[in-house]
Amino acid sequence: MTARGVFYVHSAPPALSPHIEWAVAGVLGVPVSLEWADQAAAPGTLRAELHWEGRPGTAAAITSALRNWKLLRFEVTEDATPGCDGVRYSFTPSLGVFTAVIGANGDIMIPEDRLRAVMANAAVGKTTLEHELERLLGTPWDNELEPFRRAGDGAPVRWLHAAV
């Protein structure tokens, strides 16, 4: 079974670009050469985009390979496949990793146990319901990444197929 998705590097220092390509190539099992462009939202950094095909779970593997790189902002999506939900991972240096299950219509699907935990924590005053719901929806990550996403409008698109 083949999964498809997109890997967005929203900002990275130029010195990291070959290391990012090597890390993603290690996950996909094929050489990766991204088309890098200046990131207007963070002068001195680069951005890139890669459409990929691989095994289900590839988005998680890419995220795991890059999650400790604190000078990087990125997102990885994976479309749903039979038996597997779609998923989106977002990473920022200040917030870390956000993970969301994505429904067929593009909505974030929140598991009931996570909702119950949020309600329980809000009920005892550990947090506010509004704050925790915003985190479950990824709002802090969206707020931080949106300027970088907009700066990437019109970026070239490339497809890469993983070795199977």
Side-chain angles (χ1 to χ4, degrees), residues 20-138:
I20 294 166
E21 291 174 354
W22 295 330
V24 175
V27 171
L28 294 175
V30 296
V32 171
S33 178
L34 298 174
E35 190 168 324
W36 295 95
D38 290 335
Q39 174 51 275
T45 66
L46 301 174
R47 62 180 170 78
E49 181 177 321
L50 176 72
H51 290 251
W52 58 266
E53 287 187 1
R55 296 179 181 177
T58 295
I62 292 171
T63 301
S64 292
L66 300 174
R67 70 179 295 152
N68 292 320
W69 300 22
K70 299 298 181 191
L71 299 175
L72 188 57
R73 285 179 185 86
F74 68 91
E75 290 183 277
V76 188
T77 64
E78 183 169 316
D79 296 339
T81 55
C84 296
D85 293 321
V87 66
R88 175 174 60 112
Y89 297 91
S90 301
F91 178 85
T92 73
S94 63
L95 298 169
V97 175
F98 168 74
T99 306
V101 175
I102 306 298
N105 64 349
D107 284 344
I108 292 175
M109 310 302 286
I110 301 171
E112 74 178 79
D113 286 345
R114 290 182 74 187
L115 287 171
R116 289 182 195 287
V118 163
M119 291 187 313
N121 287 336
V124 297
K126 288 184 178 179
T127 186
T128 66
L129 185 59
E130 294 80 9
H131 173 77
E132 288 303 312
L133 288 175
E134 292 292 331
R135 289 189 60 81
L136 286 176
L137 294 171

Side-chain angles (χ1 to χ4, degrees), residues 138-155:
T139 302
W141 287 264
D142 287 338
N143 290 342
E144 187 170 328
L145 291 173
E146 193 57 32
F148 296 91
R149 293 173 182 149
R150 279 196 298 262
D153 286 347

